[in-house]
Amino acid sequence: MEFPSVLKVAVVPIKYVFEIKRNANGETEISGMEASFLKILSSFLGFKYDIIVSNEYGIPFENGTWTGIMGVLQKGEADIALSISLSEGRANVAQFSKTYGKEDATFAISKPETSIDDFWFIHPLDSITWGLIFVSLVATSAALSLINKRSSIQMLSILLSTLLKQPFTNLKPSTLLALWLLVSTILAFGYSAVLLSNLTLPPKQKDIRNFEELSEAVQLGSYQCYAVRGSVMVNLMRTSKQRHIRLLIDAIDKNDWFVDNNELLHWEKMAKNTALIYHRSALEMFTKRWGSEGYKISADVFVSMEYAMALRKDFCCTDKFDKILSRIEAFAIRKIIYDKMLLAVGEAHETSSEDSNHRPIKFENIKGLMTAGLISYLIAFTLLCAEVIHFKRNQN
């Protein structure tokens, strides 16, 4: 049978993958990785094409009908669709060419930010160390007050000044005082070193590396996770034998964390504490566009899916597509197209990458310290008033 001169091609418009525009003359222009692939097929086989736009790849209904691209093929409204992931359900409504690639289903995630809170100046020492310092401070001041015949409050203030490396006078030399000075010196220098290192390079939140950790973070409410509506991986997640995968997709279903491919076109960046599950190649494109330094693509893989051309059931010439696809695969033409596209996206969205770890200290970062300082001044003023009252009473 003669190969058709015009084919109806069903596509989902995705930035850098398959973009559709109208020129000044009203003619349709296509660009992107899959568009370049379609042009190569058109050149080899000598056909023209009409583009049929859909907003998703398709999900099945209980009555056997499909939405999206698969539904268009099922109804015979399109002849072919490019690079569709294979599944048993999809094979029931369309025929497929030979496979010519494989995609990993993984996730991209916004990199954790530095964790500076209101009381960052407390973090260099843990709660047990702070407790031991307080107990030893009170006990030592009580003992030294007996040796030096001074009030406990006065001795406590002197010992506090030694922690701040302030000078003191008129104390009797003793082994206890020498030990305290040694300990206070070690504590002061150790605290200062850790504090300065945290200010220079603040600690980050825990990095999420795999699907299990992502599922746990979503259950705890610290992260949101989106999936692409109508993608085959969503159905595979729902039937997965891994409990953390089922918990993850249950959370996505419950909160309706689904995004259409059209919506992804308008994402300028991914929000903080957010993950997106999709094909690795598409995620590489998106993160290049958003700014690679702010995002990480996991090395973990939920499933690897082969893809091929999907054709309507009664299409005549699948074998001709198979021959051309074998040649394209042999010369790694798709990889060449992808590498060029990834490089172009990276160059188009190059930004001066400023190290996000090095940022000025803002008021939000020191308000805890200022609050603690004000409380300390109030306590000191209260103690001063108490000492003045006590002194006047003793005079009377």
Side-chain angles (χ1 to χ4, degrees):
M1 186 178 290
E2 188 178 349
F3 195 89
S5 59
V6 179
L7 293 181
K8 294 179 180 179
V9 184
V11 302
V12 176
I14 303 175
K15 188 82 170 173
Y16 310 119
V17 178
F18 204 110
E19 298 183 62
I20 306 170
K21 296 177 182 177
R22 296 275 183 186
N23 62 20
N25 299 323
E27 299 172 337
T28 300
E29 292 183 347
I30 60 174
S31 60
M33 185 177 70
E34 291 298 334
S36 298
F37 184 53
L38 175 60
K39 290 174 182 178
I40 290 171
L41 293 174
S42 170
S43 175
F44 272 113
L45 293 171
F47 67 87
K48 295 182 179 179
Y49 45 82
D50 292 329
I51 304 299
I52 309 295
V53 176
S54 183
N55 63 346
E56 64 181 23
Y57 290 102
I59 55 175
F61 292 118
E62 291 183 1
N63 62 5
T65 60
W66 284 69
T67 64
I69 282 181
M70 299 310 300
V72 172
L73 289 170
Q74 186 181 36
K75 297 172 198 172
E77 296 173 356
D79 299 308
I80 64 171
L82 303 176
S83 303
I84 302 296
S85 301
L86 274 67
S87 72
E88 185 177 347
R90 289 177 173 179
N92 291 330
V93 296
Q95 58 176 318
F96 282 86
S97 69
K98 73 178 294 296
T99 59
Y100 52 86
K102 185 179 285 189
E103 274 281 12
D104 291 339
T106 184
F107 65 88
I109 194 164
S110 54
K111 289 182 180 178
E113 292 192 323
T114 53
S115 55
I116 298 180
D117 58 27
D118 291 345
F119 296 96
W120 49 269
F121 55 91
I122 294 176
H123 298 324
L125 303 177
D126 61 15
S127 56
I128 296 175
T129 305
W130 282 116
L132 290 173
I133 290 172
F134 177 76
V135 171
S136 60
L137 186 63
V138 172
T140 306
S141 62
L144 289 176
S145 65
L146 295 174
I147 296 172
N148 292 273
K149 296 180 181 180
R150 295 189 179 187
S151 67
S152 297
I153 294 177
Q154 188 179 20
M155 188 55 63
L156 183 64
S157 65
I158 292 173
L159 295 186
L160 279 173
S161 69
T162 62
L163 283 173
L164 300 174
K165 309 313 297 172
Q166 298 298 312
F168 64 93
T169 56
N170 301 325
L171 286 183
K172 293 180 181 180
S174 64
T175 304
L176 181 59
L177 178 60
L179 287 173
W180 172 259
L181 291 175
L182 176 63
V183 170
S184 65
T185 300
I186 294 172
L187 283 172
F189 283 127
Y191 174 84
S192 299
V194 177
L195 183 65
L196 288 173
S197 68
N198 285 347
L199 288 174
T200 305
L201 191 64
K204 289 188 175 182
Q205 301 170 4
K206 183 183 177 183
D207 203 10
I208 294 177
R209 298 165 297 177
N210 52 49
F211 276 96
E212 189 169 359
E213 291 178 358
L214 176 61
S215 179
E216 183 181 350
V218 169
Q219 304 308 312
L220 293 172
S222 56
Y223 269 82
Q224 293 182 353
C225 181
Y226 287 84
V228 176
R229 197 186 308 276
S231 62
V232 68
M233 65 188 72
V234 170
N235 291 328
L236 293 174
M237 289 176 73
R238 291 192 179 110
T239 57
S240 173
K241 295 181 181 179
Q242 300 178 74
R243 183 172 178 271
H244 63 273
I245 294 293
R246 293 198 307 275
L247 288 173
L248 182 57
I249 192 61
D250 285 347
I252 294 172
D253 284 330
K254 180 181 177 181
N255 294 282
D256 194 28
W257 286 335
F258 289 101
V259 59
D260 294 328
N261 283 288
N262 287 332
E263 292 177 58
L264 281 176
L265 292 176
H266 302 292
W267 278 24
E268 294 299 326
K269 61 180 180 178
M270 193 159 58
K272 296 176 183 177
N273 297 335
T274 302
L276 173 65
I277 300 173
Y278 207 25
H279 303 297
R280 184 178 299 279
S281 61
L283 291 175
E284 287 174 347
M285 292 278 191
F286 289 135
T287 53
K288 280 279 188 183
R289 178 190 174 199
W290 298 333
S292 300
E293 68 279 356
Y295 306 92
K296 176 186 175 183
I297 299 176
S298 173
D300 193 20
V301 176
F302 164 57
V303 64
S304 289
M305 297 172 291
E306 291 185 315
Y307 55 84
M309 290 180 60
L311 309 96
R312 57 182 169 81
K313 276 287 189 180
D314 59 347
F315 188 77
C316 64
C317 310
T318 307
D319 57 330
K320 293 186 178 181
F321 273 119
D322 287 343
K323 289 179 182 178
I324 297 300
L325 291 172
S326 295
R327 294 181 190 175
I328 290 173
E329 189 176 14
F331 289 98
I333 292 176
R334 278 186 62 84
K335 186 177 185 309
I336 294 171
I337 295 172
Y338 174 73
D339 290 343
K340 284 184 177 180
M341 183 60 62
L342 196 62
L343 181 62
V345 173
E347 290 176 348
H349 295 89
E350 258 185 0
T351 55
S352 55
S353 59
E354 183 180 337
D355 191 349
S356 59
N357 289 322
H358 297 84
R359 56 185 69 181
I361 298 175
K362 301 178 182 178
F363 173 75
E364 288 77 10
N365 303 137
I366 62 172
K367 64 182 179 181
L369 183 59
M370 293 181 68
T371 302
L374 288 173
I375 293 172
S376 300
Y377 277 119
L378 287 174
I379 293 172
F381 182 73
T382 304
L383 290 174
L384 176 62
C385 292
E387 285 193 356
V388 170
I389 293 170
H390 178 70
F391 177 73
K392 287 186 175 181
R393 282 183 179 177
N394 286 342
Q395 276 190 331
N396 295 332

Short mmCIF file of all heavy atoms in Angstrom, two decimals, residues 57 191 308 325:
data_model
loop_
_atom_site.label_atom_id
_atom_site.label_comp_id
_atom_site.label_asym_id
_atom_site.label_seq_id
_atom_site.Cartn_x
_atom_site.Cartn_y
_atom_site.Cartn_z
N TYR A 57 -1.13 12.80 27.53
CA TYR A 57 -0.90 11.56 26.77
C TYR A 57 -2.08 10.62 26.85
O TYR A 57 -2.32 9.87 25.92
CB TYR A 57 0.38 10.88 27.27
CG TYR A 57 1.62 11.66 26.90
CD1 TYR A 57 2.27 12.45 27.84
CD2 TYR A 57 2.11 11.64 25.60
CE1 TYR A 57 3.39 13.20 27.50
CE2 TYR A 57 3.24 12.37 25.25
CZ TYR A 57 3.87 13.16 26.21
OH TYR A 57 4.97 13.90 25.86
N TYR A 191 33.01 27.62 70.89
CA TYR A 191 31.73 28.21 70.49
C TYR A 191 31.93 29.21 69.36
O TYR A 191 31.19 29.20 68.36
CB TYR A 191 31.10 28.90 71.70
CG TYR A 191 29.83 29.66 71.38
CD1 TYR A 191 28.60 29.01 71.32
CD2 TYR A 191 29.87 31.03 71.13
CE1 TYR A 191 27.44 29.71 71.03
CE2 TYR A 191 28.72 31.73 70.82
CZ TYR A 191 27.51 31.08 70.78
OH TYR A 191 26.37 31.77 70.47
N ALA A 308 8.09 4.40 21.81
CA ALA A 308 8.03 4.14 20.38
C ALA A 308 6.99 5.06 19.77
O ALA A 308 6.36 5.86 20.47
CB ALA A 308 7.67 2.68 20.12
N LEU A 325 13.35 4.18 11.52
CA LEU A 325 13.72 4.27 12.94
C LEU A 325 14.99 3.48 13.22
O LEU A 325 15.81 3.88 14.07
CB LEU A 325 12.57 3.77 13.82
CG LEU A 325 11.32 4.68 13.84
CD1 LEU A 325 10.18 4.00 14.58
CD2 LEU A 325 11.65 6.02 14.49
#
